[in-house]
Amino acid sequence: MPQTPPFSAMFDSSGYNRNLYQSADDSCGGLYYHDNNLLSGSLEALIQHLVPNVDYYPDRTYIFTFLLSSRLFMHPYELMAKVCHLCVEHQRLSDPNSDKNQIRKIAPKILQLLTEWTETFPYDFRDERMMRNLKDLAHRIASGEETYRKNVQQMIQCLIRKLAALSQYEEVLAKISSTSTDRLTVLKTKPQSIQRDIITVCSDPYTLAQQLTHIELSCYSERKKTRNLEAYVEWFNRLSYLVATEICMPVKKKHRARMIEYFIDVARECFNIGNFNSLMAIISGMNMSPVSRLKKTWAKVKTAKFDVLEHQMDPSSNFYNYRTALRGAAQRSLTAHSSREKIVIPFFSLLIKDIYFLNEGCANRLPNGHVNFEKFWELAKQVSEFMTWKQVECPFERDRKILQYLLTVPVFSEDALYLASYESEGPENHIEKDRWKSLRSSLLGRV
């Protein structure tokens, strides 16, 4: 079966170079190359270029790029139907009198293509039409050959396991809510001495940074659909609100200051690990108005380390400092000797923004009707880099107690944060005083 390189090796060149790989005959028309790099093509020609034959198997960079970008032009089930049709008709898989030797040559290549599709984009196969076409084509390949039958069964079983795991994962996500109700009762009833905070659960900021990295990497490993992209943004917001809640909760000023310094150390360790998403979420939480207005608390904090971190994540010049640090982490990952050095967790919202503007800023089709494949090389390069990062095994030991706290402890809403902030350090002007009274009335039932 054809061997495929890891994602990290896929996009070393500017695009798919036909001198590097066996190339299909261009006589099908509609494929345009420049300096041997595929730049554009008609949709039909690109689909044909995806389908292997006896003498040709598409390069993995092309398979990934086309499967990723084709959904801008057609549903995955429509592409699968066309691929199945081409495989069956061109390779005469439906003909009982076809040459068995020829089928033996082509079958492993078709099976490899299907395997790459199911492994890279398993969500596509939640569609029953996809699964039906997959099983039909796989059955044609496997008929009469025990080895292929076993390989087909293995591929389909692996896909079903992956889809089952994704469903379980989404059920867990659905249960994790950012409700603030339970935590609000603390303001009314619980004495300070029996409150549980993050420091009582995990006193070591370095350990907390490691557990945050566990959550980030597990998020990456499965989130591919839009709903899960939303869930990832929700996790970022949850962490920001958790940081703000933990800082605003303590009654005593020195305890709030200690909490701020604790999260500064957590953020610094996230930076050292390469976990930029948690780092940005923590900084975001510390910069929320209910936290930043606590001037008496901040006066007790040594802020030099925080200033350095804010400088690294400064949004000016399109996040130039962050992008420089990210490139450094990516380079470290390429030459890493340990799993820890391989960790790169980008600021997720900015990554999505970059991909969005690349997609929106370049046309999908050229004036001649060709698919603009040069654009899709660049999109696939960014996505494949991200996929390489998400495949890293987290080297840190899991702590279930800490993870449970991070994922499930109730956090304050924005209104509850302001109320806690005003309770800690009183309103400074009439606007704040009016808001405080309103919040006490609506959230605590007090006048």
Side-chain angles (χ1 to χ4, degrees):
M1 201 171 281
Q3 296 297 305
T4 55
F7 276 112
S8 57
M10 280 173 53
F11 289 89
D12 288 342
S13 62
S14 60
Y16 165 50
N17 188 310
R18 61 177 169 178
N19 284 345
L20 300 179
Y21 305 95
Q22 266 187 318
S23 179
D25 193 324
D26 289 351
S27 62
C28 62
L31 290 182
Y32 173 70
Y33 292 84
H34 181 67
D35 291 338
N36 287 314
N37 291 321
L38 177 59
L39 297 187
S40 70
S42 69
L43 188 57
E44 288 301 318
L46 292 168
I47 293 171
Q48 289 194 33
H49 203 56
L50 178 70
V51 178
N53 59 41
V54 173
D55 302 313
Y56 163 75
Y57 185 79
D59 161 49
R60 194 186 188 199
T61 58
Y62 179 78
I63 294 172
F64 177 78
T65 303
F66 187 69
L67 290 180
L68 178 70
S69 59
S70 63
R71 57 203 70 226
L72 293 173
F73 304 98
M74 62 175 67
H75 290 288
Y77 78 85
E78 294 174 311
L79 177 61
M80 174 61 88
K82 286 180 176 288
V83 168
C84 289
H85 175 76
L86 288 171
C87 287
V88 170
E89 294 303 313
H90 287 196
Q91 308 309 325
R92 299 171 62 200
L93 294 179
S94 58
D95 184 355
N97 299 317
S98 59
D99 184 353
K100 295 295 183 187
N101 286 329
Q102 176 135 331
I103 291 178
R104 287 192 187 97
K105 290 179 182 178
I106 188 61
K109 294 180 178 181
I110 296 175
L111 183 58
Q112 175 73 6
L113 177 65
L114 296 177
T115 300
E116 291 205 35
W117 196 335
T118 58
E119 288 180 350
T120 311
F121 299 99
Y123 271 111
D124 289 351
F125 295 88
R126 281 181 160 173
D127 189 323
E128 289 181 7
R129 295 165 294 190
M130 286 287 291
M131 193 63 90
R132 192 161 54 241
N133 278 328
L134 173 68
K135 289 181 177 178
D136 178 62
L137 183 54
H139 174 72
R140 293 177 186 275
I141 294 170
S143 58
E145 289 286 342
E146 183 63 27
T147 304
Y148 299 149
R149 191 181 293 110
K150 287 182 179 177
N151 287 340
V152 165
Q153 288 175 347
Q154 185 178 3
M155 174 187 69
I156 292 176
Q157 286 171 1
C158 183
L159 173 61
I160 290 171
R161 281 197 303 271
K162 188 166 284 193
L163 290 176
L166 291 174
S167 295
Q168 290 174 356
Y169 181 74
E170 286 176 340
E171 287 174 13
V172 171
L173 283 181
K175 291 176 182 175
I176 299 173
S177 64
S178 298
T179 178
S180 63
T181 307
D182 293 346
R183 206 66 181 264
L184 267 174
T185 60
V186 173
L187 284 174
K188 291 191 287 186
T189 60
K190 287 187 181 178
Q192 180 70 16
S193 60
I194 62 170
Q195 285 185 24
R196 189 171 69 138
D197 61 21
I198 188 69
I199 294 178
T200 63
V201 176
C202 177
S203 60
D204 180 18
Y206 301 102
T207 301
L208 189 73
Q210 293 172 1
Q211 298 310 301
L212 289 172
T213 303
H214 259 297
I215 294 172
E216 300 281 2
L217 288 174
S218 66
C219 289
Y220 281 167
S221 67
E222 305 298 356
R223 292 178 175 175
K224 294 188 180 72
K225 289 187 79 177
T226 303
R227 171 68 194 104
N228 288 334
L229 292 179
E230 291 170 0
Y232 202 83
V233 173
E234 286 169 10
W235 155 247
F236 179 94
N237 291 338
R238 173 181 169 75
L239 179 54
S240 296
Y241 273 80
L242 174 63
V243 169
T245 299
E246 295 284 348
I247 293 171
C248 290
M249 274 301 302
V251 172
K252 292 186 177 179
K253 185 167 49 183
K254 66 178 181 180
H255 292 158
R256 294 194 297 274
R258 184 179 69 151
M259 190 65 75
I260 289 174
E261 290 181 341
Y262 173 83
F263 276 116
I264 290 172
D265 287 339
V266 174
R268 189 170 64 162
E269 183 60 14
C270 284
F271 180 85
N272 293 336
I273 289 172
N275 181 356
F276 297 105
N277 199 62
S278 290
L279 166 61
M280 185 60 90
I282 293 168
I283 291 175
S284 174
M286 295 172 80
N287 280 327
M288 290 175 74
S289 294
V291 177
S292 61
R293 67 169 296 279
L294 298 171
K295 295 183 177 64
K296 294 174 183 175
T297 302
W298 280 97
K300 287 188 163 292
V301 175
K302 297 174 183 175
T303 58
K305 289 184 286 187
F306 184 63
D307 294 340
V308 170
L309 292 173
E310 278 202 306
H311 175 72
Q312 287 291 347
M313 307 306 279
D314 184 353
S316 62
S317 302
N318 194 19
F319 287 91
Y320 176 81
N321 293 340
Y322 158 70
R323 293 183 190 277
T324 303
L326 180 66
R327 282 197 300 273
Q331 189 59 41
R332 179 186 69 181
S333 180
L334 288 174
T335 58
H337 299 292
S338 67
S339 294
R340 176 172 176 138
E341 292 176 328
K342 290 181 181 178
I343 295 172
V344 184
I345 302 172
F347 175 28
F348 194 71
S349 295
L350 187 60
L351 173 69
I352 296 301
K353 181 181 173 185
D354 287 345
I355 291 173
Y356 172 82
F357 280 112
L358 174 59
N359 185 44
E360 292 295 308
C362 301
N364 290 335
R365 289 187 185 270
L366 302 177
N368 65 357
H370 273 199
V371 172
N372 181 8
F373 219 70
E374 193 171 15
K375 164 186 173 176
F376 295 125
W377 284 131
E378 188 56 39
L379 273 174
K381 187 174 182 178
Q382 290 197 25
V383 174
S384 68
E385 185 174 47
F386 173 69
M387 292 180 74
T388 301
W389 294 337
K390 82 178 182 61
Q391 289 168 356
V392 173
E393 290 285 333
C394 189
F396 308 120
E397 188 176 344
R398 292 171 67 91
D399 188 310
R400 289 189 176 276
K401 183 178 68 173
I402 299 172
L403 292 173
Q404 178 81 3
Y405 185 91
L406 289 170
L407 291 170
T408 63
V409 70
V411 298
F412 280 162
S413 64
E414 186 174 7
D415 281 347
L417 282 172
Y418 270 108
L419 177 57
S421 180
Y422 293 144
E423 294 283 330
S424 296
E425 294 187 20
E428 294 184 348
N429 52 53
H430 289 300
I431 295 174
E432 286 192 346
K433 187 171 284 189
D434 289 344
R435 185 171 190 183
W436 182 36
K437 288 179 180 178
S438 173
L439 291 173
R440 283 171 69 86
S441 175
S442 60
L443 296 180
L444 298 181
R446 295 178 185 170
V447 178

